[in-house]
Amino acid sequence: MSVAANAPLTSTAAAVEVTARGRFLVFEGIDGSGKSTVARLMHERMNAAGRPSVLTAEPTDSWVGDMVRRGNREAASPFTETLLYVADRAEHTTRIDRWLNEGKHVVCDRYMGSTIAYQSVTLRPHLGDSAREWLRSVNAPFTLRPDVTFLLLLDPELAMERLDSRPGREKFEKLDFLRGVDDEYRRLAETDGYVVIDASRPLEEVAEAVWSVIARM
Ligand code: TYD
């Protein structure tokens, strides 16, 4: 994007092209909350509004993302799984940073909040309540602070009902587990200032609620 209009009028040199850094928008929520659908809709809507946007997700489509998916199936230690999510994010963040520097907006389906919410639950038997702070400090040196994080809240039981209609349920998609993750997300919403969206409403209403925030950014 050119902001040459702000260049000094007295300058005889060619106008300096300055690219405004894009906005970093993250979508979080439990499995079945609908966040992937809403993230895609927002990405499309931003592009349609002339605000170039990249849609991306974690676990990523990179080789580290492949390791994450393999780790989910094969890892014997929950720490392996956790550190793979973190490694995937470290690589992903370099790409996100580049897109933002190119002036693109980045719509990201899951980011650090997913690790704090999900892995606080899986690591609790090992680390107790200190899991949260440990996860935060492991991520801290390389993660970017999103401009906004939307948390799509949906009762875990309803989320399970939505997931039941999908093939290939994952191990994470268990009610008790999702309840724990939901609690962690609610806590994060308060500590990290997430924008909380009631995702039990029809998709169009959820999308409008999210768009009304993005449109003002
Ligand atoms: P999900 O968004 O459901 O991807 P997809 O539907 O395309 O398979 O993510 C897969 C699972 O990974 C989901 O259950 C949440 C989990 N997850 C974590 O536990 N920690 C993380 O840091 C991330 C990014 C995901």
Side-chain angles (χ1 to χ4, degrees), residues 31 35 58-59 85 89 110 114-115 118-119 170 172:
D31 306 63
K35 65 174 174 41
E58 294 187 7
Y85 282 122
R89 180 161 312 117
R110 296 196 181 285
S114 286
T115 296
Y118 282 78
Q119 274 63 58
E170 294 183 49
F172 279 159

Side-chain angles (χ1 to χ4, degrees), residues 1-6 15-23 52 97-105:
M1 188 194 311
S2 165
V3 291
N6 291 334
V16 181
E17 293 285 317
V18 181
T19 304
R21 193 170 156 88
R23 297 298 175 100
D97 196 46
R98 197 175 63 233
W99 289 321
L100 294 171
N101 279 334
E102 288 168 0
K104 293 170 187 149
H105 302 295

